[in-house]
Amino acid sequence: VGEVDDVGRWLAVVYLKNAVSRVWRKTTRREPWLSSEEKEAVRRGLLGGILVDSQMGPAPQWATQVALAIARIARMDFPAEWPDLFNAMLAPLQVQEEVAVHGQQSDDQRKWRALQAIKFTLKELASRRLVSDRRFFEDTAPEVFFTLFTFWETTLQSQKSPDQLMTLVQTHKCLNLLLRYGLRSLQDVDQTFDFFEQILANPDLFRRGRDPAAHETIQKLSVLAAKSARIAHENFTELFNRRFTAQFFALYMDDLSHANVAQSPEKYIVVVASFAQAVIQMRQSESENGLLNEASAIKLVESIVTQALVWNQEELQGWLQDPEESFKDEDEADYDKTRPRSAFESLLTAVVSRYRVAICHSLLQAIQNAVQSGSHPLIVDALLRAIGRCRYEINDLVDIPAWFSGQLTPILCHSHSNANVEWRLCRARSAWLIGQFADVLDRTTHPHTV
């Protein structure tokens, strides 16, 4: 094998990976192409390729293909014909090999490749739908989680070199897969509580997601930590609420209050906002008192409006070039939950639904003050946008026709609207807002705008 170059290895393993689904199992029309002995040799050779072969780099293309081939075979053979699969893949993470024999770099590469194979295998096994398969996966998950967490914790406590940080990222991805698909309860493994306590105890690694200056790997770890909290809150709500929800919610609310859509990394903001939204939408009986009160809700809405909904100059110039297309793109973006602004808008509607009366009054008063001051038209635009996004939540709290006549007329008749680009945007936003409430308005309600 050592005489075959990387291209030859890559082509061979790609062919093997793609052929597994066609030739591995017996079907009604043909026998399997490989005997049991040949299959065993293939399985042994694949594991040896990623766990033993010292010539393989840390993550070349063909090493990834080997890991994918292992995962596809595991989907069909684990556990009946491949019972020792996880024991073999976890072995490099459990035993400290002699550096003098293999070298530190070679040892790190084996661990990386083992984690890559574990990640792909967990994804494949989690997607199986037979009840017996899912039950066996859930029975296996606690032991795998324990070993991975032990390795994750050891890596966390060691010196943080770039390679070790990437290993930490890969291990964290595997732990998240087990949290989402494998564990029946957080109590299946005692170390799950240690896992979240370690995340809270290491803010330099797991709470720098909104910092654009943070290293890319640190940002990935912050995103993964937020995903861990969101998964645990979704899957193990009651137990997670008792131990961790309040702490994570307070930390992430602080991040959201100071986040800047134009500068903060997108993935982190989206995941954190999703977690906060899920907590806010819990029934009162499920959440702890004091997580979000009326005053903090109003403050959060103010932060969302000023930090997330205010247009920047690039967006303003795009609107000048094609106003209709800009608003159309903005509406379509609401359905793309991978964008920070859409995540903030979803969080906004969740908060408004929880504290409708107080926030509705706050938003209307803010619009009145901003229009009267006349100095911050982009804030006026953001406030009008917030009202439009929350139209279903405030419909029955406001006399919409009267409010439109009183609030929008000064904007539409603003004396500097034609000369000032930002006030022109406010006029366009007012017209957009009329469209949002068209079902409760008639032509006699707003003669100045029709």
Side-chain angles (χ1 to χ4, degrees):
V1 177
E3 298 177 358
V4 181
D5 60 13
D6 282 356
V7 175
R9 287 189 176 192
W10 181 76
L11 289 174
V13 75
V14 167
Y15 179 81
L16 172 62
K17 180 200 70 174
N18 294 337
V20 164
S21 58
R22 299 194 305 271
V23 306
W24 201 260
R25 275 182 172 172
K26 177 182 178 180
T27 67
T28 56
R29 292 187 291 180
R30 59 167 174 76
E31 292 293 322
W33 290 12
L34 301 176
S35 66
S36 299
E37 293 76 14
E38 290 171 325
K39 288 182 181 179
E40 175 61 29
V42 171
R43 291 192 291 261
R44 188 168 55 250
L46 289 173
L47 281 177
I50 64 168
L51 304 180
V52 178
D53 189 353
S54 61
Q55 298 182 21
M56 187 179 290
Q61 287 184 330
W62 52 279
T64 302
Q65 297 299 317
V66 169
L68 288 169
I70 289 173
R72 291 196 178 181
I73 294 174
R75 184 183 183 90
M76 293 178 279
D77 286 2
F78 180 81
E81 298 177 36
W82 209 354
D84 61 340
L85 170 62
F86 278 107
N87 290 335
M89 291 193 295
L90 292 170
L93 311 183
Q94 296 171 299
V95 180
Q96 293 294 326
E97 301 183 22
E98 292 293 334
V99 177
V101 176
H102 300 289
Q104 182 62 50
Q105 184 178 7
S106 178
D107 185 48
D108 291 341
Q109 291 172 4
R110 268 187 290 276
K111 291 176 180 177
W112 171 267
R113 296 196 299 263
L115 288 167
Q116 190 177 46
I118 291 169
K119 181 184 70 174
F120 292 143
T121 302
L122 289 175
K123 285 184 176 181
E124 283 286 352
L125 298 181
S127 65
R128 297 195 296 187
R129 288 293 174 259
L130 287 178
V131 175
S132 58
D133 290 337
R134 295 186 66 83
R135 185 180 297 118
F136 195 90
F137 181 57
E138 291 171 351
D139 291 339
T140 308
E143 182 180 352
V144 178
F145 188 96
F146 172 78
T147 304
L148 286 172
F149 169 77
T150 303
F151 176 72
W152 178 87
E153 188 176 38
T154 303
T155 307
L156 186 65
Q157 295 171 353
S158 62
Q159 186 177 1
K160 308 300 186 300
S161 67
D163 289 343
Q164 286 176 319
L165 287 176
M166 286 305 300
T167 300
L168 206 59
V169 168
Q170 194 82 316
T171 312
H172 205 129
K173 289 180 180 180
C174 297
L175 291 170
N176 277 357
L177 286 170
L178 290 167
L179 274 175
R180 180 178 291 279
Y181 301 111
L183 299 184
R184 298 186 181 97
S185 168
L186 289 180
Q187 295 174 320
D188 285 355
V189 192
D190 293 338
Q191 284 69 26
T192 52
F193 300 105
D194 297 334
F195 176 58
F196 288 106
E197 287 171 357
Q198 290 280 13
I199 290 175
L200 292 169
N202 290 274
D204 289 343
L205 286 178
F206 300 114
R207 283 220 37 238
R208 296 187 61 194
R210 68 181 175 89
D211 181 5
H215 190 274
E216 181 182 358
T217 308
I218 301 294
Q219 291 180 3
K220 287 181 179 180
L221 284 171
S222 299
V223 172
L224 289 169
K227 286 183 177 180
S228 300
R230 187 180 65 182
I231 291 168
H233 179 266
E234 291 174 354
N235 291 6
F236 319 108
T237 304
E238 183 178 352
L239 192 56
F240 191 76
N241 282 349
R242 291 204 301 264
R243 294 288 298 268
F244 298 110
T245 295
Q247 299 176 69
F248 278 101
F249 185 76
L251 295 173
Y252 289 150
M253 287 295 287
D254 180 66
D255 286 344
L256 290 172
S257 298
H258 297 89
N260 188 310
V261 169
Q263 297 178 357
S264 300
E266 293 187 357
K267 288 185 178 180
Y268 181 75
I269 296 301
V270 169
V271 176
V272 168
S274 174
F275 171 79
Q277 180 182 346
V279 173
I280 291 170
Q281 290 176 331
M282 286 191 303
R283 295 194 303 270
Q284 190 68 33
S285 59
E286 294 177 342
S287 61
E288 298 181 19
N289 293 327
L291 283 183
L292 186 70
N293 55 36
E294 191 174 280
S296 58
I298 292 175
K299 185 177 180 181
L300 174 61
V301 169
E302 291 175 355
S303 298
I304 292 175
V305 170
T306 56
Q307 299 290 338
L309 301 188
V310 175
W311 276 17
N312 55 41
Q313 289 300 315
E314 182 180 350
E315 291 171 313
L316 193 59
Q317 293 303 316
W319 175 79
L320 276 175
Q321 295 176 7
D322 193 341
E324 184 177 352
E325 189 66 24
S326 293
F327 276 9
K328 182 181 177 181
D329 291 344
E330 183 184 83
D331 288 337
E332 290 177 351
D334 286 346
Y335 299 97
D336 184 1
K337 300 307 179 185
T338 63
R339 296 187 181 184
R341 187 166 282 161
S342 298
F344 271 117
E345 289 183 347
S346 298
L347 178 60
L348 173 68
T349 57
V351 177
V352 172
S353 297
R354 192 70 178 269
Y355 298 98
R356 297 192 316 140
V357 177
I359 294 178
C360 177
H361 175 75
S362 175
L363 284 174
L364 297 181
Q365 187 63 45
I367 292 175
Q368 182 178 348
N369 295 339
V371 171
Q372 288 176 353
S373 70
S375 56
H376 299 290
L378 289 181
I379 296 292
V380 175
D381 171 72
L383 289 165
L384 293 175
R385 178 175 178 174
I387 291 290
R389 295 304 181 212
C390 301
R391 59 190 180 277
Y392 297 117
E393 285 75 20
I394 68 172
N395 249 345
D396 59 337
L397 298 178
V398 183
D399 183 354
I400 299 296
W403 180 77
F404 268 58
S405 299
Q407 293 283 354
L408 291 190
T409 299
I411 298 176
L412 292 163
C413 300
H414 198 282
S415 58
H416 301 293
S417 292
N418 291 327
N420 190 304
V421 174
E422 295 177 357
W423 278 111
R424 286 171 58 191
L425 173 62
C426 288
R427 291 185 65 183
R429 181 69 68 185
S430 300
W432 170 86
L433 194 58
I434 290 172
Q436 304 303 306
F437 288 94
D439 57 329
V440 295
L441 296 172
D442 55 56
R443 296 180 67 86
T444 60
T445 302
H446 38 81
H448 297 285
T449 63
V450 177

